[in-house]
Amino acid sequence: MHWGIIGLGNIARSFAADLALVPGARLQAVASRDLQKAESFASEFRAARAYGSYAALFADPEVAVVYIASPHSFHKEHTRAALEAGKHVLCEKPMGINAREVADLTRLAQKKDLFLMEALWSRFNPSIREVYQMVRKGELGPLSYLRADFAFPALDRDPGGRLLNPHLAGGSLLDIGIYPVFLAYLLLGVPRDFRVLAHFHETGVEKQIALLLEYPDALAVLYSGLSSHSEMKAEISCRDGSIFLNPRWHEAVSYTVQREDEIRTFKHPLKGSGYTYEIEEVHACLNAGKTQSDLWSWADSSALHTLLDQIRYRAGITFPGES
């Protein structure tokens, strides 16, 4: 499977390193607006070709699937261009900055009969997949309480960078808050109501946000922020016991199950940095002739981003040029 990568930042570096660990995967081409950067990246990760424009990579007939790792605000533009060029796409989360953009992209993928998936890599993490199955089967009884967080200090970073720049859809929610919201959606579905509190940075982006999601028989408490560290341990509390996704839970290498006085930890060391699992899912889907994943479908991305839109609306989070 010949891959291309655009947007050659830190996430792309981790992805490229993991791509080399997946049998049947080849890094065919990489692209940056800075050709020298692309050539350096290609040399380090043994890509066959380096391009100084994204359009040139999309036009490469040897590239079958493209990983989009550009800033959030460009995901729709770059994913659309790749699909229009006939490429399958794995787009880094969030696939769009709102549900409308996600819907536009999935409609285009359907029209073109091409594979498209949002790269929510935590969905394919072995520990999270096992915990999901435990909850789905009701092995510990009904889920009644979920707590998840994701935070790190970043307010001293370049205000023009992707985290603090509203023109790049910055802030904590779409960058890291998407993970706790994803976990609540995965395990509990769409809430019937929620409450939200948010604080904003001087650049205008949201710098920390707290959510209380209400379900018929459960509550979820979620947090993300750029002003401090957090524990990053997820608690999934059920009638007959609790499951803990151990820090850092979104890339968990273990989880712990507690039933009364019994405590057991299950370990799943990651292959590479953990991107290997979503790459393997892309390969499995393409080999089966699928245009979307059963584990993280277009409907899942739509539901998640609709919820994120509602959260943003109540919190007052907007981005320039967005209607």
Side-chain angles (χ1 to χ4, degrees):
M1 197 72 66
H2 288 199
W3 284 77
I5 299 176
I6 72 163
L8 307 181
N10 291 332
I11 293 176
R13 296 180 64 82
S14 296
F15 185 90
D18 277 11
L19 193 69
L21 303 177
V22 178
R26 176 182 176 180
L27 184 52
Q28 177 65 23
V30 299
S32 169
R33 292 190 173 96
D34 181 340
L35 179 58
Q36 186 176 358
K37 181 177 181 179
E39 290 173 340
S40 176
F41 193 101
S43 176
E44 181 176 357
F45 294 102
R46 300 183 179 181
R49 296 170 188 160
Y51 294 109
S53 75
Y54 300 152
L57 184 145
F58 298 151
D60 188 331
E62 296 297 316
V63 173
V65 54
V66 178
Y67 174 58
I68 307 288
S70 51
H72 302 163
S73 54
F74 296 105
H75 285 179
K76 179 187 176 183
E77 173 190 341
H78 295 154
T79 298
R80 171 171 284 280
L83 291 170
E84 291 285 8
K87 307 303 182 186
H88 303 294
V89 175
L90 175 66
C91 179
E92 188 51 55
K93 58 79 191 162
M95 188 155 67
I97 63 171
N98 54 49
R100 184 183 66 251
E101 291 192 354
V102 171
D104 287 346
L105 294 174
T106 55
R107 280 195 296 267
L108 180 58
Q110 184 177 33
K111 177 183 176 182
K112 295 285 188 178
D113 195 30
L114 291 168
F115 178 83
L116 171 65
M117 188 173 82
E118 184 175 27
L120 253 167
W121 66 318
S122 297
R123 177 63 183 94
F124 310 99
N125 175 282
S127 292
I128 293 176
R129 289 184 67 168
E130 286 192 9
V131 168
Y132 168 76
Q133 289 298 329
M134 289 181 67
V135 172
R136 185 178 183 186
K137 294 175 182 177
E139 293 183 18
L140 294 175
L143 199 170
S144 62
Y145 169 66
L146 182 148
R147 174 180 57 84
D149 59 350
F150 195 147
F152 58 85
L155 298 184
D156 60 347
R157 299 195 184 184
D158 178 6
R162 67 177 183 84
L163 285 176
L164 301 180
N165 188 343
H167 293 277
L168 298 179
S172 84
L173 181 63
L174 293 189
D175 191 71
I176 53 178
I178 190 173
Y179 287 110
V181 177
F182 147 77
L183 188 65
Y185 167 75
L186 180 69
L187 299 180
L188 288 166
V190 176
R192 67 182 183 186
D193 200 3
F194 64 89
R195 298 177 184 178
V196 57
L197 290 172
H199 289 163
F200 290 81
H201 188 257
E202 60 189 19
T203 62
V205 303
E206 156 271 323
K207 65 181 179 180
Q208 60 179 172
I209 188 165
L211 296 161
L212 176 62
L213 275 56
E214 180 189 3
Y215 298 86
D217 296 301
L219 293 172
V221 178
L222 314 176
Y223 173 79
S224 67
L226 302 175
S227 56
S228 69
H229 287 290
S230 67
E231 185 181 20
M232 294 183 63
K233 178 180 181 179
E235 177 180 0
I236 300 149
S237 181
C238 304
R239 183 192 62 203
D240 303 323
S242 295
I243 308 167
F244 299 91
L245 285 164
N246 297 316
R248 298 183 341 151
W249 72 262
H250 76 295
E251 54 182 5
V253 297
S254 70
Y255 65 94
T256 299
V257 179
Q258 181 174 346
R259 306 173 192 248
E260 295 183 350
D261 295 332
E262 179 189 17
I263 300 176
R264 296 184 62 191
T265 296
F266 301 85
K267 297 182 179 181
H268 290 287
L270 298 180
K271 289 188 291 185
S273 297
Y275 295 95
T276 51
Y277 306 104
E278 67 178 359
I279 295 168
E280 290 169 350
E281 175 67 8
V282 173
H283 285 201
C285 289
L286 290 176
N287 287 331
K290 296 180 178 180
T291 56
Q292 57 182 307
S293 168
D294 294 331
L295 297 180
W296 192 251
S297 67
W298 298 344
D300 288 323
S301 287
S302 175
L304 178 65
H305 284 275
T306 297
L307 177 55
L308 289 168
D309 280 359
Q310 293 168 349
I311 292 168
R312 287 179 50 206
Y313 177 78
R314 292 199 193 179
I317 301 169
T318 59
F319 302 120
E322 189 181 26
S323 59

